């Protein structure tokens, strides 16, 4: 019985020792392979001590992580700047809409201009219609 237990213990230790051994080799086609047993046809390089454990027992230290508070601050600043730009764009659009509507309303009445000498000058009906079409296009564009 002691022999059986000793044999089992030796088997377990042998399997455990072999499981921790890792080899790297390159085949005839230039492909890199990894395995727990070296191949007979190729020269294998043992990787003992060259690999670090993936799941180490060391706890992760807090300073290893980037400062997330600064990242959040930058994100908030970006969002505020984007909102401000959208607000300015909307305000500019509203101003353009109001200007086009006001000018169209003026253009639909009796149209005349005052030159630098204070004299009235008129425009033709064709010019008035062209201006009205331009302003209507601006209203469609800016006023939705």
């Amino acid at each position: 019985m002691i022999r059986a237990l000793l044999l089992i213990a030796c088997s377990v230790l042998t399997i455990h020792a072999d499981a921790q051994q890792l080899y790297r080799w390159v085949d005839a086609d230039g492909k890199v392979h990894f395995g727990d047993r070296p191949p007979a046809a190729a020269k294998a390089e043992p990787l003992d001590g060259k690999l670090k454990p993936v799941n180490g027992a060391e706890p992760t230290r807090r300073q290893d992580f980037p400062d997330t508070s600064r990242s959040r601050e930058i994100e908030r600043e970006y969002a505020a700047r984007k909102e401000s730009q959208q607000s300015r764009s909307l305000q500019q659009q509203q101003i353009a809409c109001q200007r086009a509507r006001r000018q169209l309303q003026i253009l639909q009445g009796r149209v005349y201009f005052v030159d630098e000498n204070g004299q009235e000058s008129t425009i033709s009906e064709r010019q008035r219609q062209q201006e009205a079409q331009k302003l209507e296009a601006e209203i469609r564009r800016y006023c939705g």
Side-chain angles (χ1 to χ4, degrees):
M1 175 126 159
I2 293 178
R3 274 187 180 172
L5 286 174
L6 196 58
L7 184 62
I8 291 172
C10 287
S11 303
V12 169
L13 289 175
T14 305
I15 291 171
H16 182 70
D18 285 345
Q20 289 184 350
Q21 185 68 17
L22 187 62
Y23 297 93
R24 176 187 179 274
W25 68 93
V26 180
D27 66 13
D29 295 329
K31 292 183 181 178
V32 178
H33 298 273
F34 296 91
D36 59 349
R37 284 174 277 178
K43 182 181 175 190
E45 171 190 358
L47 297 176
D48 292 341
K50 295 182 181 178
L51 300 175
K52 294 182 181 179
V54 176
N55 295 326
E58 283 187 37
T60 305
R61 294 185 307 262
R62 179 68 183 153
Q63 64 263 21
D64 292 345
F65 294 106
D67 183 13
T68 55
S69 62
R70 178 66 182 139
S71 299
R72 280 181 279 200
E73 183 182 332
I74 290 170
E75 287 175 7
R76 282 192 297 271
E77 288 173 8
Y78 174 77
R81 195 174 312 126
K82 187 174 179 181
E83 184 178 324
S84 174
Q85 288 172 347
Q86 288 174 342
S87 176
R88 276 192 302 253
S89 176
L90 184 59
Q91 288 172 346
Q92 290 170 345
Q93 190 174 351
Q94 289 171 344
I95 290 169
C97 173
Q98 291 169 354
R99 183 184 121 299
R101 283 185 173 162
R102 186 174 51 250
Q103 288 180 342
L104 180 60
Q105 186 178 18
I106 291 168
L107 204 60
Q108 289 172 341
R110 181 173 179 254
V111 179
Y112 66 92
F113 297 94
V114 178
D115 64 15
E116 61 273 353
N117 298 326
Q119 298 295 318
E120 285 186 17
S121 64
T122 60
I123 60 172
S124 69
E125 180 60 23
R126 182 175 180 186
Q127 289 171 319
R128 190 192 67 75
Q129 288 176 355
Q130 288 173 344
E131 279 299 313
Q133 288 173 350
K134 287 180 191 176
L135 292 168
E136 287 171 350
E138 279 189 41
I139 290 171
R140 283 192 300 275
R141 179 177 175 198
Y142 296 120
C143 301

